[in-house]
Amino acid sequence: MSAGSGIVVVGSINADLVVTAHRHPRPGETVAGRSMTVLPGGKGANQAVAAALLGAEVTLIGAVGSDAYADVALSVLTTAGVDLRPVQRTAGATGIAVIQVADDGENTIVVLPGANAGMTPGLVKASAGAIREAAVVVVQGELPADATAAAIRLAAGRVIVNLAPVIAVDAAALLRADPLVVNEHEGALVLAHLGGPTSVDHGAVVEGLLGLGFASVVMTLGDAGALVAERGVLHRVPAPQVTAVDTTGAGDAFVGALAARLTAGEPLRDAVRFAVRVGSSTVQRPGAQPSYPTSADELPALPEGPSA
């Protein structure tokens, strides 16, 4: 990778055990499932695949175990052309996500971190050269907080922090995000974690995060699109109207697409518009990585009218 080019994703790598059912069970209830499929996943891996399929040069830093799930977890990354040389092969289990998808496309997820939990600052620093040379570094919340903070501190380029799930990353490191990418629930949690004002209004949460020192904030709102704010200005991007089949990994596709466009030098608002279209495309097909579009695929159009 040449200096100041490409994307480095530092994040989780999982195998997804996807179970489909008519609806999600209530507490204490048993429902009949229809199928189970084992697919590659993990937020870091998903974001790396999404960016690579859209034409970006991507390197992934993470870890898998020594079990049979490791090859599954790496399969689409390999075919998408992601550089996997920094991925550690450790003794023990690969990360697993147990995902239940209901007929309305909504999902529930239980994650067993496996090898992801063993990512230390030392293992991240072993790839310091790649991180420093990246135009964009992407991190999430599925690795230990100290490893995530180490990756942010090593970055010389732009840093995208998708704090999902919300973990207690060092505030000084976290504030290097440009942008911070969160959904509405995560945004409120980050704001509270950093001592900001409590609010249930999406715009107020985004403005509160900007007030704490973030250079830019992107809040994803599912089928309502996204909010994007930088330099004190807030814009709304509506989402295309599509029929959702499976929302698994749509947020990761959004982040990967955002990283790809920012790496290419596109302004944040335009990159968010593109990422919303990519996220809307993925929910129309089952699975996470298998649903991601390539640069040759036609994406659903944004609705006409006021937007970013």
Side-chain angles (χ1 to χ4, degrees), residues 11-273:
S12 56
I13 308 170
N14 291 337
D16 291 348
L17 279 58
V18 183
V19 177
T20 61
H22 173 62
R23 61 175 177 82
H24 298 299
R26 301 179 182 90
E29 181 186 22
T30 299
V31 299
R34 283 198 300 274
S35 66
M36 189 188 83
T37 309
V38 182
L39 298 170
K43 297 190 73 65
N46 289 348
Q47 293 169 7
V49 166
L53 290 175
L54 293 168
E57 177 188 357
V58 186
T59 297
L60 178 61
I61 297 169
V64 294
S66 56
D67 55 7
Y69 288 125
D71 289 339
V72 174
L74 298 175
S75 59
V76 177
L77 287 159
T78 300
T79 58
V82 175
D83 184 351
L84 300 177
R85 286 175 293 178
V87 172
Q88 304 287 323
R89 294 263 190 169
T90 66
T94 299
I96 296 292
V98 181
I99 303 170
Q100 180 180 295
V101 181
D103 284 350
D104 62 3
E106 290 299 324
N107 61 59
T108 62
I109 305 175
V110 176
V111 177
L112 304 173
N116 298 305
M119 282 297 293
T120 64
L123 290 177
V124 172
K125 291 174 183 176
S127 299
I131 295 171
R132 291 193 184 104
E133 292 173 359
V136 173
V137 174
V138 183
V139 299
Q140 321 78 33
E142 287 190 336
L143 295 184
D146 55 355
T148 299
I152 295 171
R153 293 191 187 100
L154 287 168
R158 190 167 194 163
V159 179
I160 299 175
V161 178
N162 174 217
L163 204 61
V166 176
I167 56 174
V169 176
D170 174 72
L174 190 59
L175 285 168
R176 284 204 55 203
D178 184 17
L180 172 73
V181 181
V182 287
N183 65 24
E184 61 265 42
H185 309 296
E186 295 155 357
L189 288 172
V190 174
L191 189 61
H193 168 62
L194 295 178
T198 301
S199 178
V200 295
D201 179 78
H202 299 154
V205 170
V206 170
E207 289 171 356
L209 290 167
L210 286 179
L212 291 173
F214 287 101
S216 60
V217 177
V218 175
M219 178 179 284
T220 58
L221 301 171
D223 60 7
L227 297 177
V228 53
E230 58 180 339
R231 293 186 291 275
V233 180
L234 178 67
H235 301 274
R236 181 178 295 273
V237 179
Q241 299 303 301
V242 299
T243 300
V245 172
D246 182 0
T247 60
T248 304
D252 297 331
F254 177 99
V255 173
L258 183 69
R261 286 301 177 101
L262 290 177
T263 303
E266 196 163 87
L268 179 61
R269 286 173 57 188
D270 293 339
V272 169
R273 288 171 62 86

Side-chain angles (χ1 to χ4, degrees), residues 264-288:
E266 196 163 87
L268 179 61
R269 286 173 57 188
D270 293 339
V272 169
R273 288 171 62 86
F274 176 75
V276 165
R277 296 175 66 202
V278 169
S280 295
S281 173
T282 68
V283 303
Q284 298 178 87
R285 295 177 294 279

